[in-house]
Amino acid sequence: MRLFFILLFCTSMAAAQERFQPSWPSLEKYSTPEWFRDAKFGIFIHWGVYAVPAFGNEWYPRNVYRQDSKEYKHHVEKYGTLDKFGYKDFIPQFKAEKFDANAWAELFKQSGAKYIVPVAEHHDGFAMYNTALSKWNAVEMGPKRDIIGELAAATRKQGLIFGLSSHRIEHWWFMNGGRKFNSDVNDPKYADFYGPAHEESETMSPEFMNDWLLRCTELVEKYQPQLFWFDWWIEQPALEPWRKSFAAYYYNKGLEWNKGVVINYKHDIAFKPKAAVLDLERGKLDELRQLPWQTDDALGNKSWGYTIDNDFKSPQYIITNLVDIVSKNGNLLLNIGPRPDGTITEQETSVLQATGKWLAVNGESIYGTRPWKISGEGPTKSAKGPFADQKEAFTAKDLRFTTKGDTLYMITLGIPAAPVSVKALAGNNTIANITLLGSNETVRWKQQQGQLIIQPSSAYPSEHAAAYRIIFR
C-alpha cells in the first residue's frame, strides 16, 4: 500500500510538471500535435458583416472611414454619409438566411480538408459566436444564430478537427479613421462597437488587453477548438504577458482534453519558434523547415471575404502549391469567403471539389507524411516569405518528395508528357519498385547516367499532378 501511494505521488508530480507556465522556457517545451502534422490541409473561412457591402475587401469597415479611399467614395454614393449610414447599419442585412453548417462541412470533407478554421471575430469587432462580452454578435443581431457553434458541431460530425481564429486585438485601432470626420464612430451610443479606435502608435490599455484575453478564453471554454489562429498584431510588446498567459492556459486545456492543440502566429516576434506554429500569409517557404509551419492563403485573389468582383485561383495552383508546401514540412490553410446569405460561391466550390478529387487519388502521398532529406528539385523557383504568390507556374519537371515510413513519394507538379528525370534518385540500385498512385499500369523506369528516368504513362489517373510511390530494397 505504501508503494502504491509513493507511485501515485510520483505520478501526480510528473503530471504537475507537465503543466505549462506563462514563461518562454515552459512554452518552448510545446510540441506540435501529430494530428496537425498529419492533416496537411485545412479550410479557413472569412465570413462576416463585410460580406454585405461586398466591395473592395474584408477591410471595408476600416477603409470606408478613410476619406481618400475608394470604399468611402463608393459608400457615400450608394448609402449616404457615414454619420447617417455607417458600417453598423449593414448588420441587419447580414441575415445568413441560406446558411447550412452541415452542407458546408460536407463540402469541406469532399475537398479533402482535415481541419476547419472559421473567423470567430474579425478586426471589425462583430463576433460570429455567442459571447457574453458584447451585444455586437451574430446571436443577438444579424443572423441571430451561433455561427461558430453550428460550424463546430457540423465539423465534428464529419470527423474533422475544429479550430477558429480571433482578430480581436486589431480592433484597438481598426476604426480610427472615423475619428477624423463626422461619422457614427464618434457617436457614444456605438462606442462599444467601434471603440477603442485609437491610433496604432498608442499602447493598448490593460483593460483592452484583459478584454482580449477574456474573449479568447471564452472561445476556448465554449467551443474547445484544437487550433487557435491569430493575426499579426498580437506581437505588440505590451501584450506579451497576456499572450504568454493565454498560451499556457490553452496548452493546459489541451492536456485536460487529452487532445493536441495548436496556436498559429505570424512572426517570430509574437512567439518563440518552438512555442507555437508559424504561419505565413499568402506566401510560403522556399526550403524545408525542420519545425512544422503553415501557409494561410485565400482562394480569392482580391479579398479574403466575399466581394462581387473577386477572382479565384485555379485547382492547378492550389494542388501544386499544396504539394510544394507539404514537401517542406508545412500545411495549407485555404480560405473561402461566403456570401452574406450563407452560400459559397460556385468558383470556390468548384476548386474545393477539384482539390478533393485529386486528394482522393493521391492523398497517400500527402496525409500523414513527413519531409524527405530534400523537398524537391526542378527548374521553377519557389516563392519565398509572406505575401509572395507563386507567380511562375510549376511544371511536370518540378518534383517534390514526401515520406511515410520506408516509402518515398515523388510528385510531379504537372502531368508529364515526356520522361521524368530525377537527379536525387541517381543509379544507386536501391529502388525495388515504382508505382503510380491510382493506376494499375506498370511504371517503366530505369536508373542511368546519374539519374532516375520514369517514362510517361499512357493514361494518368488524375489531373494537375502525378504521385509515384517508390519502394526501396
Side-chain angles (χ1 to χ4, degrees):
M1 182 62 72
R2 183 181 178 188
L3 179 59
F4 170 80
F5 283 113
I6 291 173
L7 289 171
L8 183 63
F9 175 78
C10 291
T11 302
S12 300
M13 288 294 291
Q17 290 170 354
E18 290 175 1
R19 304 288 288 186
F20 288 91
Q21 302 300 320
S23 67
W24 292 128
S26 177
L27 295 174
E28 285 184 287
K29 294 176 183 177
Y30 168 79
S31 179
T32 308
E34 292 298 294
W35 76 256
F36 181 82
R37 301 197 67 195
D38 291 343
K40 306 303 183 187
F41 181 42
I43 300 295
F44 209 1
I45 310 164
H46 274 67
W47 191 39
V49 179
Y50 42 83
V52 175
F55 184 88
N57 56 42
E58 75 286 353
W59 277 42
Y60 187 95
R62 174 166 176 77
N63 293 330
V64 74
Y65 291 103
R66 303 173 75 172
Q67 291 179 290
D68 60 348
S69 71
K70 63 180 182 180
E71 287 86 354
Y72 175 85
K73 182 179 178 181
H74 165 82
H75 188 97
V76 171
E77 288 178 353
K78 187 169 183 178
Y79 305 106
T81 58
L82 283 144
D83 60 327
K84 303 296 184 184
F85 189 104
Y87 181 68
K88 71 181 185 310
D89 296 298
F90 287 119
I91 295 173
Q93 300 176 42
F94 181 46
K95 298 178 181 178
E97 64 271 24
K98 296 180 181 179
F99 170 58
D100 183 340
N102 288 312
W104 281 24
E106 287 172 8
L107 174 61
F108 302 151
K109 180 84 169 182
Q110 291 171 15
S111 78
K114 299 298 185 183
Y115 58 108
I116 311 303
V117 184
V119 173
E121 181 180 341
H122 203 248
H123 311 335
D124 64 351
F126 187 80
M128 297 289 286
Y129 63 100
N130 188 17
T131 176
L133 299 169
S134 169
K135 70 182 181 184
W136 300 92
N137 67 75
V139 175
E140 297 184 52
M141 300 179 181
K144 297 192 175 177
R145 297 168 67 177
D146 184 356
I147 302 298
I148 295 299
E150 290 184 41
L151 280 171
T155 295
R156 289 169 176 140
K157 184 179 177 181
Q158 291 295 328
L160 306 177
I161 298 287
F162 182 74
L164 51 76
S165 79
S166 169
H167 310 237
R168 174 64 188 175
I169 205 68
E170 286 82 9
H171 194 67
W172 173 253
W173 47 265
F174 201 61
M175 305 291 203
N176 60 24
R179 297 287 191 210
K180 298 175 175 63
F181 64 98
N182 185 23
S183 80
D184 61 340
V185 172
N186 298 304
D187 190 328
K189 292 198 298 290
Y190 311 116
D192 56 343
F193 180 48
Y194 292 123
H198 283 285
E199 294 301 307
E200 295 95 317
S201 58
E202 294 182 64
T203 301
M204 292 177 289
S205 67
E207 290 81 6
F208 184 77
M209 293 186 283
N210 285 338
D211 176 75
W212 171 82
L213 183 58
L214 285 170
R215 291 184 188 227
C216 291
T217 55
E218 181 186 51
L219 283 166
V220 172
E221 294 292 339
K222 285 192 172 183
Y223 305 107
Q224 298 190 5
Q226 284 183 251
L227 183 145
F228 209 112
W229 190 100
F230 289 115
D231 218 334
W232 86 104
W233 225 65
I234 62 161
E235 67 194 32
Q236 300 309 302
L239 193 65
E240 182 171 323
W242 285 263
R243 191 165 62 237
K244 291 190 292 189
S245 292
F246 175 74
Y249 155 81
Y250 184 47
Y251 291 162
N252 287 331
K253 277 293 177 183
L255 294 176
E256 180 184 314
W257 302 333
N258 196 27
K259 294 179 179 179
V261 297
V262 173
I263 290 175
N264 287 142
Y265 70 99
K266 285 293 179 65
H267 308 124
D268 285 340
I269 305 169
F271 280 92
K272 303 289 185 182
K274 293 182 180 179
V277 176
L278 177 69
D279 177 276
L280 282 80
E281 180 174 346
R282 286 194 187 271
K284 56 184 179 176
L285 300 177
D286 64 346
E287 60 185 5
L288 194 157
R289 184 178 191 254
Q290 293 304 312
L291 290 172
W293 59 283
Q294 178 177 266
T295 285
D296 71 292
D297 201 355
L299 259 176
N301 290 312
K302 297 179 181 179
S303 175
W304 292 77
Y306 173 73
T307 61
I308 56 173
D309 66 342
N310 210 354
D311 58 70
F312 301 92
K313 296 178 174 66
S314 68
Q316 182 74 27
Y317 184 98
I318 297 303
I319 290 165
T320 56
N321 280 275
L322 168 64
V323 173
D324 181 48
I325 289 163
V326 169
S327 74
K328 297 165 183 172
N329 207 21
N331 285 23
L332 172 61
L333 182 62
L334 182 65
N335 179 77
I336 62 166
R339 299 184 185 97
D341 66 2
T343 57
I344 297 171
T345 67
E346 293 75 17
Q347 299 97 320
E348 290 168 311
T349 298
S350 176
V351 176
L352 292 180
Q353 289 173 336
T355 303
K357 185 178 179 182
W358 186 87
L359 283 165
V361 175
N362 302 286
E364 179 186 329
S365 67
I366 299 296
Y367 304 124
T369 62
R370 299 293 181 265
W372 195 40
K373 59 185 179 182
I374 59 171
S375 62
E377 60 180 69
T380 306
K381 188 175 181 181
S382 172
K384 178 183 180 180
F387 300 100
D389 290 336
Q390 183 65 41
K391 292 184 171 59
E392 184 180 359
F394 291 119
T395 72
K397 293 183 179 180
D398 296 301
L399 315 175
R400 294 295 181 267
F401 302 106
T402 62
T403 64
K404 189 181 294 177
D406 295 330
T407 302
L408 176 68
Y409 298 95
M410 187 196 74
I411 306 153
T412 64
L413 303 186
I415 297 299
V420 176
S421 171
V422 192
K423 295 182 177 61
L425 294 170
N428 54 12
N429 298 315
T430 60
I431 296 175
N433 190 34
I434 299 177
T435 51
L436 177 64
L437 296 188
S439 173
N440 292 322
E441 182 181 335
T442 300
V443 176
R444 294 168 295 140
W445 61 275
K446 59 183 176 181
Q447 293 170 296
Q448 64 177 27
Q449 298 174 346
Q451 58 191 330
L452 165 69
I453 303 293
I454 300 177
Q455 297 299 322
S457 173
S458 62
Y460 286 92
S462 56
E463 299 178 82
H464 312 298
Y468 294 89
R469 181 194 299 113
I470 301 172
I471 304 297
F472 296 95
R473 297 185 192 281

